[in-house]
Amino acid sequence: MALPLRDTLIKGDRVVLVPPRRSDYDEWASLRTASRAYLERWEPLWPGDAHSKADWARRLKVWTAAWKEGRAYVFLIRRMSDNALIGGISLTHVRPWPASSASLGYWLGQEFEGHGYMRDTVSLICDWAFARLALWRIEAGTLAENNRSRNVLEAAGFEEEGYARAYLEIAGERRDHVLFGLVRPQNQS
């Protein structure tokens, strides 16, 4: 189900999720660059032109097309108290009925780790996805050694469901992941 791109804001108590815009480039590039050493170990290899305006333009084009087709929803995370950009979160591989499911991914700037922002954000986007997208299931994977990510998922109600060998390419290598799932609560039917 395609939703209006620019009209979508998801507000929580401490964070707001907003679709990325061209005007976010400088802040996004600055945060990602400052957190590069921290983020690279958890993400696919960065392109040679990572965080250039060309990279941002490519991303926006892909994200906007996927949004309009109802296949993915990418958001930037902003802190409510000062509107600072602190990270990003996405629902990708959105599958319609009968699956009614999506995959969850997220990142946070290093300086914002350890304050509960991602825990709040994951719960917020999952509630939105169940209510607004009518999803029944959200899946996520994390590297076994990424305890922060595991804690975020478990705090949001995700349950460990399995182990996938060579699941994703991370930092240039195929890496195993622990898989988690969250099923829509019955009271949200």
Side-chain angles (χ1 to χ4, degrees):
M1 166 195 330
L3 299 175
L5 178 63
R6 295 298 167 221
D7 297 338
T8 302
L9 295 176
I10 306 171
K11 292 183 180 180
D13 293 333
R14 300 189 315 145
V15 295
V16 61
L17 311 183
V18 297
R21 294 177 168 84
R22 258 184 299 212
S23 59
D24 295 314
Y25 167 72
D26 288 334
E27 201 173 358
W28 173 84
S30 177
L31 178 60
R32 298 274 302 169
T33 300
S35 300
R36 184 174 186 147
Y38 174 74
L39 294 173
E40 280 184 316
R41 62 187 171 154
W42 310 118
E43 297 183 356
L45 278 179
W46 291 17
D49 67 345
H51 309 138
S52 68
K53 285 191 176 184
D55 177 36
W56 183 244
R58 279 193 310 270
R59 290 172 188 261
L60 282 179
K61 183 177 180 181
V62 169
W63 294 339
T64 300
W67 186 294
K68 288 178 179 176
E69 295 166 5
R71 294 182 292 110
Y73 299 91
V74 175
F75 294 92
L76 296 179
I77 307 164
R78 292 194 170 274
R79 188 168 51 193
M80 290 284 278
S81 62
D82 59 3
N83 200 37
L85 177 64
I86 64 172
I89 192 162
S90 61
L91 291 168
T92 60
H93 305 110
V94 177
R95 296 171 298 282
W97 183 87
S100 301
S101 64
S103 298
L104 177 70
Y106 47 82
W107 64 273
L108 200 61
Q110 185 173 12
E111 69 182 282
F112 302 106
E113 289 284 342
H115 300 284
Y117 293 122
M118 192 53 72
R119 181 190 61 237
D120 294 352
T121 300
V122 167
S123 293
L124 194 61
I125 200 168
C126 289
D127 289 346
W128 176 81
F130 291 143
R132 189 67 175 97
L133 301 179
L135 296 183
W136 274 97
R137 177 178 172 75
I138 300 172
E139 302 161 350
T142 186
L143 294 169
E145 68 271 20
N146 192 341
N147 291 322
R148 280 190 182 272
S149 188
R150 174 187 285 274
N151 291 341
V152 162
L153 293 170
E154 290 174 347
F158 281 76
E159 295 181 15
E160 185 175 330
E161 295 184 334
Y163 190 83
R165 293 185 40 187
Y167 185 66
L168 291 174
E169 181 267 308
I170 300 294
E173 297 178 30
R174 294 302 300 189
R175 299 288 306 275
D176 299 349
H177 280 64
V178 179
L179 304 179
F180 290 82
L182 179 66
V183 175
R184 180 168 73 187
Q186 293 302 315
N187 63 355
Q188 288 187 359
S189 299

